[in-house]
Amino acid sequence: MCFDGSGFTYFVRKADPAKVLFFFEGGGACFDAGTCGPESTSFKRSVGDGPDSRQEGIFDFSNPANPFKDFSVVYVPYCTGDVHIGNTTHDYGNGVVIEHKGFVNGSTALNKLAELFPDAKELVVSGESAGSVPDPLYAGMARDLLPDA
């Protein structure tokens, strides 16, 4: 779920099943009533359209120079204010209650990656901004799920 209990989804691009990119979207963070409150812009609050809407950099799959052009992708959007590693409901006071469920969301996406691409040989775990923070954690978890990658 997202910070306010609304629905969460992740995105899957199926290409070469032996090469997979697990990507965490960035979007700031929150840690108190001020940064988590309804007027704050300190973190991304909704799931967007995923990598298909970006179509640039590593998500420009039509670019022959893109090293990830043939990779399958599991893209984890950001909407929890917890750099993808929370698993709590926190009451910051003044009516600000946040569902920090980034770890639940990321783990669900990682489990789906392992289910969809069990024979992956190349696995890249990456992210941007707040999405780079959890990369070592999820890389270790991915190694446990896909020991041949």
Side-chain angles (χ1 to χ4, degrees):
M1 69 177 67
C2 287
F3 81 99
D4 59 358
S6 62
F8 175 81
T9 191
Y10 52 88
F11 301 92
V12 175
R13 173 185 187 258
K14 291 183 179 179
D16 186 337
K19 298 192 272 184
V20 184
L21 170 64
F22 190 50
F23 187 85
F24 290 95
E25 182 178 60
C30 78
F31 46 85
D32 59 25
T35 56
C36 294
E39 303 301 317
S40 174
T41 58
S42 69
F43 73 101
K44 186 175 177 299
R45 295 174 175 259
S46 63
V47 173
D49 295 329
D52 290 339
S53 66
R54 297 180 75 158
Q55 298 181 356
E56 61 185 17
I58 64 172
F59 301 109
D60 181 357
F61 302 116
S62 65
N63 181 351
N66 179 0
F68 296 103
K69 68 180 175 24
D70 298 326
F71 273 60
S72 292
V73 178
V74 176
Y75 183 96
V76 184
Y78 187 56
C79 63
T80 55
D82 60 4
V83 296
H84 297 281
I85 55 175
N87 185 12
T88 190
T89 301
H90 193 84
D91 186 341
Y92 289 100
N94 298 324
V96 178
V97 177
I98 300 294
E99 299 289 346
H100 290 299
K101 301 294 184 178
F103 182 76
V104 176
N105 296 343
S107 297
T108 300
L110 180 60
N111 288 332
K112 180 55 81 169
L113 181 153
E115 177 187 319
L116 292 173
F117 309 107
D119 299 321
K121 298 298 177 210
E122 291 181 55
L123 176 63
V124 176
V125 178
S126 186
E128 62 186 343
S129 187
S132 66
V133 172
D135 292 351
L137 170 66
Y138 285 95
M141 292 168 55
R143 176 72 174 156
D144 291 343
L145 291 171
L146 299 167
D148 293 333

